Amino acid sequence: MAANGRRSLTFSKLGLAGDAQSAAVIAEPATLNAANAGAPNRVRTTRFTLASWLPKSLFAQFQRAANIYFVIVCGLVLIPDGPLMWQSTVGPFCLVLFWTALKDLYEDRRRQRDDDAENLRSCTRYNAKTGMFEEASWQDVKVGDVLLNFTDEAFPADVLVIRGANGQAFISTVNLDGETNLKERRPADAFSALTDMPEAGAEVPRGAAAKEAVKRMAIQTVQHLFTQGVKVDLEMPMPILNEMDGTVDLKTATEGAKAKLEALSVKTPETLNAKLFIPRGCVLRNSLYCLSVAAYCGNDTKTRLNVADAVGKVSNMQLYLNRGVQALVSSLAIFCLYAAIAATAKGVDDGTSFPMRFIFYWIILYQVVPISLYVCFEIVKLVLGFQINKDPAMVDPRTGVGAMARTADLVEEMGQVNFVFSDKTGTLTENEMVYARACVAGTDLGDFRPEAGDNTKEPAGWTESKRILSNSKDPLYEQALWFFLSLATNHSVQVEVDDQGKKKFEGSSADEVAFVQAAADVGVTFTSRVRQAGSDHVDIVVTGPGSEERVFTKLGEIPFTSERKRMSVIFKHAGDYWIFCKGADNIMGPLLDEALPSSMAEKLTEYSKLGLRTLVVATRKLDERLATKWLNTLAAVGQAKQGKEEALAEAAAEIEHSLNVAGVTAIEDKLQQGVPEAIVSIKAAGIRFWVLTGDKTETAVEIVKACRLFTESMVLAHLVNCKDEAQALQLLQEAKKSLSGPREAGLVIDGSFVQHVLSSDQARLILYDLAMASRSCVCCRLSPQQKRKLVELVKEQNKAGITLAIGDGANDVSMIQGAHVGIGIRGKEGNQAVQASDVAISQFRFLVPLLLCHGRRAYRRVATFLCYMFYKHTAIAIGDIVWAHQVWFAGVIAYPDWLQAAFPAVVVGLPVLVVMTMDKDLPDEIALLNPELYVEGLEKMRFNPALFASWIFSAVYHGTVAWLVPNLMCGSTDYESTDFWYASVISFISVVVFVNCRLWMVTESPGSKWTIGIMAFSFFSLFFTIYMLGETTLGYAFQPEIWGVVGGILGDTNRILALVCTPMLLLVDLAVYQFQSSTNPYPLTAARRRLRKGQNRPPEQKLQARIPDTTE
């Protein structure tokens, strides 16, 4: 997407007109606001206009090889004296193209509605002519417009912050990157200094009339900026979210402004960075207001620059379909070549050359690959996806939101899943953190959770902590105070105070909120976060114990990442410099001044075995000179344009060492409702289940035991704490021996082992063999990329297997995208997992009906659909092949043109669509109680070479007898005679009877209203088509060869006999089908028989144990 280049914004009190009455922000170059016919912020995601719709849609359709094939066929049928009427081929193909074009137009109109909803959103914009803030639509915003946002309002463009409540603005980027944590944005130091002057207006407190007061203050601020001649130079737009470059300077600064800047040590021109900008679509949170100026609009914004086509996934059934089409086309080419050679060898002399005979037979038999094949395939999947979206059993009772198939292309793969890879936190657990335990100086402070069923009694942990903190002479006072101060300050949590004065904490992670809340519960309360004017320093105020107020000035921060697994903050408190750090114990251990005391290490292990998530909190007092030097290094890293991550890692290494442990925290994350029952059902279905998590090994193992993934009877192999590749191979060999017995096996592996095993081809193969030998595995201490690499290892070793990844957070995106099927859970960690997924659900337990009901049915339906489509078109083509041998490849058709055209479109086209989308087998509650039915997809019972061959053999048999019996009984080889054409119509009717009855035989609900109704419609449409073609003047114009066919057939005994007797040959099929069904039934067939006998209705308690609860 092309972007405009560099630009400048000048707050000019003379404006464009050059007089004081027309103050304005001048954006240069002037072409910035000329885009989109003077509406640069208007977005357009539609593919075409009304004029370009049809050409563009057709161009896109002809990117498909199948459509190119059919357009070539259409060109061939236009050859003079060809065997087919061109209208019977070109007409249906044009209809298919037009239908697809209409679908494209419908989808584009939906995009147009979404565009309108975005462009017509309202915002508050400064009108330089009136000197007031007025309401405007997003599409009218231009580069240089001054905007005013209030709490919970979205930003219409990429903006540069001018002023925020208390010198800062907190934004939600969930619409941009899926992360739910609030991010802090601030004005540049120059803006901060200018807005701290009296001329810019005083800060406005919250209150009933706050909005109007903010508008008046904002007007003063803008006019003050005009006076100072603020000029902002910006670099060209960049798609990288955390990169923004530019400078801000004052061109006509007053003496007062210069003095203010000097007093605060603010130098101009000042370099700008990403923390001073807010991207389009972000929402202002926990801040009364934010005053900003539009820097980038429309297609220059980061949201638009990051728009990219997602990499599509192709299901295995789609690949099978493509291979089937390729095989049929190859077979068609071979037969056409054979026919041309045979005619030449026989000496047929009808004036047709060898190449023309080849072409004629290609034209005659082209429908072996039907025009509607891919369209029907898409329709079936679309309906199956719609059924997932509308399933009430997967509606979350808490939110009322159901499942959503974001793509219907992979529905059948959910019925063939061999491996499930699941995240733990937020996927198996609620991600609702409850502060559970704390250990200070080797002493456990007690349980911080209320006793079950008694919320009135104060938890023991609160009581003990308050006792210690209330007595400064207590031996643990200093350690406990410093520990809770660390929890109350080292975080990115925001605090809001409601009308009743109650504090509410909101933060980037549930863990941090739990920490801050726990500190507040024992009397060490995070009170406020206020940014200092003219700098990026923040004063964090903590009250307690008692009424004492402490101020910690945050000077720098090294944020938490999935790779670092720790967070550090540099504070200045009471004249001293400190680093506060918290992180995972295996990460923090090497950073401590001395090894973790044995008493605390024992507590860590004890907490982990209780299934609690643990963190180590540590601090260190810093030398002032060292701290100042390091902060300068951090500032330089922030300004770096390249290698920022590596530079930050080096800076962190300089300061994160020789830490003194302050204490250990333990957090409880409860299991989601129905998780153990869901995992039992998934394992019973024959699916291997892996949990991939970044948690401590002991914690993860206890959680999966609670999930019933590991049982007491299982043999577990531990592959952890690996130092090199040789040790990884040794552990694998030992595990291979220990898991060789008959008992059910499980694996426990960690990130260190994964790191070494993935680098060895031999180790990778052994690990996969162990994965196949075990049913369950838990992988701990993994990074997001290691999660994906494990998924890719299974895909690499098992080309035919299907993997499914399920998660709820941004760190699960790589895994979700790497698996064949990605499931996103709507959780508390944002929308990124859902945005990257193929199907979105609200709770883990809904995975069971998704796989065992929808996935299993989709696999059976799609597999049967493919077999049936190839079968029915082969059956109709066989008549032409047999007839070709009868007339020594004269290049003439066997069936009337328009009957053949109606065959795939209406007569037998609609029945397969209706039956394959509406066919029911078992009630969902019975299917959930019989997870072993899932084996049909795992073992590819419904689509495999042997089964496909049997369908094709059946097609050859049906097509042959359907043609030969009527032709030999009452037909003729004289192509011009009515006997031939009447027998041809009888043969055509017989083929329709054969294929419809075959469809009726393979349906699981042959007596349903849908099945009976569509079969009746099929036969009605057949006879209506024959009547219209054979008995009406219109029909005579289209198909004169079969004029009078209805009377001709019904008035001749032989023809009636052929019409009745030929379908009787279906009794052979019925006998074979019944024999096979009795001797070697599908698991589904056996379950249906048990249900009919009343053997599938278990006791009520068994039913409730297996069916995921969908009630509140």
Side-chain angles (χ1 to χ4, degrees), residues 469 477-487 550 552 573 578 580 617 619-620 662:
L469 294 174
Y477 176 80
E478 290 295 333
Q479 295 94 324
L481 176 60
W482 208 236
F483 171 73
F484 284 110
L485 283 173
S486 297
L487 297 186
R550 294 176 173 85
F552 291 78
H573 171 62
W578 293 85
F580 287 6
V617 178
T619 66
R620 177 164 72 101

Side-chain angles (χ1 to χ4, degrees), residues 212-243:
E212 291 304 317
V214 167
K215 288 183 178 179
R216 290 192 294 271
M217 178 271 294
I219 293 172
Q220 286 183 262
T221 300
V222 175
Q223 292 173 347
H224 183 50
L225 296 181
F226 285 140
T227 301
Q228 306 303 327
V230 174
K231 183 178 181 181
V232 179
D233 289 308
L234 298 170
E235 296 294 330
M236 64 183 299
M238 293 177 288
I240 302 173
L241 296 180
N242 59 357
E243 286 192 10

Side-chain angles (χ1 to χ4, degrees), residues 194 227-229 250-258 261:
L194 291 176
T227 301
Q228 306 303 327
L250 278 64
K251 296 301 182 183
T252 58
T254 61
E255 292 302 320
K258 291 177 181 178
L261 294 176

Side-chain angles (χ1 to χ4, degrees), residues 792-869:
E792 290 174 343
L793 184 148
V794 172
K795 291 173 66 177
E796 173 190 309
Q797 299 294 332
N798 186 351
K799 302 294 185 183
I802 301 296
T803 58
L804 180 147
I806 179 170
D808 74 314
N811 62 333
D812 302 316
V813 169
S814 293
M815 175 177 70
I816 287 171
Q817 292 177 332
H820 292 95
V821 181
I823 308 294
I825 291 184
R826 303 180 184 94
K828 299 177 176 63
E829 295 188 17
N831 293 332
Q832 270 193 312
V834 169
Q835 290 167 350
S837 69
D838 304 304
V839 180
I841 57 178
S842 296
Q843 294 187 38
F844 177 84
R845 58 192 171 96
F846 296 142
L847 183 62
V848 178
L850 189 65
L851 297 183
L852 303 190
C853 298
H854 291 282
R856 179 188 57 80
R857 279 197 299 261
Y859 165 71
R860 176 183 61 79
R861 290 170 170 176
V862 172
T864 305
F865 168 83
L866 290 183
C867 290
Y868 179 78
M869 288 294 283

